[in-house]
Amino acid sequence: MDRATQLTARNTGHSTPLRTISSPPFSGHGEIAGAEAVAYDPAVTTHSASTSHSLHVRAARVLEDNWTGASTVPSHGLYPHQWSWDSAFIAIGLRHLSPLRAQTELETLLDAQWGDGRIPHIVFNPSVPLDAYFPSPDFWRSSTAGRAAGAPRTVQTSGIVQPPVHALAAWLVHRADPGLSRARGFLARVYPRLAAWHRYLLHRRDLGGGSLASVVHPWEQGMDNSPCWDAPLSRITPAPARSFRRADLDHGAAEDRPTDLDYGRYVRLATDYRDAGYADGAGDFAVEDPAFNALLIASEHALARIAEELGAAGTARHARAERLTAALVERLWDPAEGMFFCRDVRGGDLIRERSVSGIVPLLLPGLPRETTDALVRTLGGAHFGLGDSTRLVPSYDLLGEAFDPHRYWRGPAWFNTAWLVERGLRTHGEQGRADALRQAVLDIAGTSDFAEYVDPYTGDACGATGFSWTAALTLDLLHTGPGDDASPTGIRTFEMSDKGGDRG
């Protein structure tokens, strides 16, 4: 019996809800060793018990295969290092296999945090050849170019960031095994670092003066070549094609990846940021993005829960999250379109391109009811077609001129955004829609071999297969029953701490 099968070897028809019975230790090779069984209740999924068991085992095997000893790569070929928001999503799934390894995933990432509080979007593995991925450590030059910003000297990183899912992940990992977490002092060690990360975003990245964080590179938002960036990127003179070599095309089809023109602009922006010592505020690209800020707000709620667990008051952080939610609605919401839009800080205007980023704020507890109702209508309408023409949420407007069902973030459906939208639907009482989306994630993750992303109409795999966050979030949804009202912030039905109620 292989290691992944051992994870679910006992009593798969047990009548208790999904839960991890114990925290398995590591073997000498970083495997999940000695794991107790995870029990399945057929009532919590429309999959049969045998199908759920098989999906669980296959997802666990992906995470085992992509484990490096201290963290998990998204995929060995295309992404052979540690990525920031990938690790947060991976930890959310790993908590169901090994809470210890989930904690280690986050701790490894936080060990590379910069002195100014930023968490870099890549932590480079020194054993990986430089030509395996571009931009490589010799491009970013973090330990020299980032010295003034407090870049670590003992590990090489990129100089930009990714969406702040980390406090949310840390809270969910703690909840998976509070006894282990308390015994290891997990939250006490990560809390100061997460607080510094949020301070960096809330102060150093408030480039528009409206309390929201700005991204200074499309890679920071995570949806690299979204049509939302086309207008602000048009101001950027691309780096010459001969000045860099795209390693991604060695592992992915060109028609699934950003174009050379896009890449040239990405390289120019990153070069200028590096050459300015990674100082914020001077570049030509600055955008307030709804998904990035929604994840910051959700993580601020989670950070409040962490503070409360550590014996401090969380009220101020919940209140800050509510103020940020109000700022998000004020600056990025368009009631006529029923969408959140990005704002071009340099130009000052909303970027009226419909992307999944404008749906992700459904995750948030403090949204006005009319806003959540409008988002649900938009999600099921002609522009996204969820439950009608599509089963997973497309990354971009089905009716948009730039729509492409296969090209990265210009149309394909992604599993991490599906997970975020599913959690948002469930939190706001849209249980039927959440159940259907959950089922679609489980079905398509399995049939696509845990693809990086898929055609939103057909579910055909695009990009890499055996992708870590797809496997991890599949595990998380397997451990979440259709009737559950669990909020990703850990606040049931989004009752704020200063309003009373059971937030367990």
Side-chain angles (χ1 to χ4, degrees), residues 362 369 371-377 379-380 386 421-438 482-485 493-494:
L362 189 62
R369 185 67 199 185
T371 300
T372 61
D373 288 347
L375 283 171
V376 171
R377 289 194 298 271
L379 191 58
L386 187 66
V421 172
E422 192 271 352
R423 299 283 78 190
L425 287 168
R426 196 170 301 286
T427 298
H428 289 287
E430 297 287 343
Q431 304 299 343
R433 289 182 173 88
D435 291 348
L437 181 52
R438 172 186 179 274
D484 287 0
D485 64 345
T493 63
F494 286 99

Side-chain angles (χ1 to χ4, degrees), residues 258-341:
T259 65
D260 287 343
L261 177 60
D262 285 335
Y263 236 85
R265 287 173 168 148
Y266 303 155
V267 172
R268 173 69 68 189
L269 277 175
T271 301
D272 291 348
Y273 192 41
R274 178 199 67 199
D275 292 348
Y278 297 109
D280 295 311
D284 293 327
F285 185 97
V287 175
E288 293 172 352
D289 173 77
F292 190 100
N293 280 280
L295 290 170
L296 175 58
I297 295 165
S299 278
E300 189 69 12
H301 279 302
L303 203 57
R305 298 302 306 276
I306 294 172
E308 292 163 356
E309 168 67 22
L310 295 173
T315 304
R317 287 198 177 276
H318 282 307
R320 178 184 296 155
E322 292 187 68
R323 291 194 300 272
L324 290 170
T325 301
L328 183 74
V329 172
E330 179 182 353
R331 289 185 64 80
L332 305 185
W333 175 247
D334 185 331
E337 298 293 342
M339 281 285 297
F340 287 93
F341 291 111

Side-chain angles (χ1 to χ4, degrees), residues 74 79 82-89 109 118-123 133 158-166 197-198 200-201 205 213-224 289 291-293 295-296 299 408-409 414 416 467 469:
Y79 305 104
Q82 183 178 24
W83 260 258
S84 172
W85 75 325
D86 290 74
S87 279
F89 287 122
L109 179 67
R118 81 181 75 192
I119 297 175
H121 98 295
I122 302 174
V123 181
Y133 182 81
S158 66
I160 59 175
V161 303
Q162 276 190 325
V165 199
H166 311 90
W197 169 222
H198 286 207
Y200 168 78
L201 293 174
R205 287 301 189 90
S214 292
V215 296
V216 299
H217 195 291
W219 287 337
E220 292 199 313
Q221 194 269 355
M223 303 179 190
D224 302 16
D289 173 77
F292 190 100
N293 280 280
L295 290 170
L296 175 58
S299 278
Y408 218 44
W409 290 96
W414 289 71
N416 65 327
F467 199 71
W469 79 24

Side-chain angles (χ1 to χ4, degrees), residues 418-479:
W419 182 86
L420 292 167
V421 172
E422 192 271 352
R423 299 283 78 190
L425 287 168
R426 196 170 301 286
T427 298
H428 289 287
E430 297 287 343
Q431 304 299 343
R433 289 182 173 88
D435 291 348
L437 181 52
R438 172 186 179 274
Q439 191 64 51
V441 170
L442 298 179
D443 290 344
I444 297 171
T447 58
S448 70
D449 194 20
F450 304 101
E452 183 180 3
Y453 49 101
V454 297
D455 183 305
Y457 293 120
T458 67
D460 291 344
C462 302
T465 54
F467 199 71
S468 289
W469 79 24
T470 303
L473 297 176
T474 296
L475 284 168
D476 193 61
L477 291 181
L478 275 172
H479 287 248

Side-chain angles (χ1 to χ4, degrees), residues 2-8 32 40 53-67 93-94 96-97 101 450 471-472 474-475 478:
D2 66 30
R3 182 70 64 191
T5 303
Q6 291 178 39
L7 294 172
T8 53
I32 305 172
Y40 288 94
H53 172 84
S54 173
L55 189 61
H56 177 101
V57 169
R58 290 171 58 208
R61 186 176 294 118
V62 168
L63 296 181
E64 184 64 35
D65 289 346
N66 289 342
W67 176 249
L94 273 176
H96 301 293
L97 301 177
R101 192 156 113 184
F450 304 101
T474 296
L475 284 168
L478 275 172

Side-chain angles (χ1 to χ4, degrees), residues 231-247:
L233 277 178
S234 68
R235 298 192 293 263
I236 309 302
T237 301
R242 65 183 180 278
S243 66
F244 60 93
R245 189 189 77 82
R246 294 182 59 180

